[in-house]
Amino acid sequence: MSPTGRAKDSSTDGAIWFANSDGVRRFDGTKFERFRTRGTPVWALMVTSQGRTFASSWLGADFFDGQQFQPFPSRETRLARLQTSALAEGREGRLHL
């Protein structure tokens, strides 16, 4: 994996997240770990102020549950398939797609 990507962000534990054409990678300072998302390429990547990691693609937004990426929101199937090319966090901590 090239250290460049479509998007990158860092988490509260100091890890750096990279999004590229084949999913998301996390660099913990020692090694890269690859995670699959529902859609590729990943268009946007964001770590919130609460430390939650989100990725988005043509298949919608996904969130990292600590093990893998899951559809977001998980209960709203129609919203979970909303094509999302940007992610932002509002002042109140809400995710904006």
Side-chain angles (χ1 to χ4, degrees):
M1 195 230 78
S2 166
T4 61
R6 294 179 181 275
K8 66 182 178 179
D9 205 344
S10 58
S11 55
T12 55
D13 65 359
I16 302 172
W17 292 83
F18 295 91
N20 60 18
S21 61
D22 68 346
V24 174
R25 303 211 189 233
R26 181 180 182 272
F27 183 66
D28 65 6
T30 305
K31 66 181 182 320
F32 280 98
E33 191 172 2
R34 181 177 179 220
F35 298 97
R36 295 190 182 274
T37 56
R38 287 180 298 152
T40 55
V42 172
W43 293 339
L45 179 69
M46 183 183 73
V47 179
T48 67
S49 60
Q50 291 87 26
R52 293 186 73 189
T53 303
F54 291 87
S56 66
S57 72
W58 66 279
L59 284 176
D62 292 340
F63 76 96
F64 186 67
D65 68 6
Q67 300 287 321
Q68 61 188 358
F69 280 90
Q70 302 286 339
F72 176 83
S74 57
R75 294 187 184 129
E76 295 287 337
T77 306
R78 197 172 90 187
L79 287 176
R81 293 187 183 142
L82 179 67
Q83 290 184 5
T84 309
S85 60
L87 299 166
E89 182 177 14
R91 277 187 229 164
E92 67 284 350
R94 289 190 170 182
L95 181 67
H96 298 273
L97 307 174

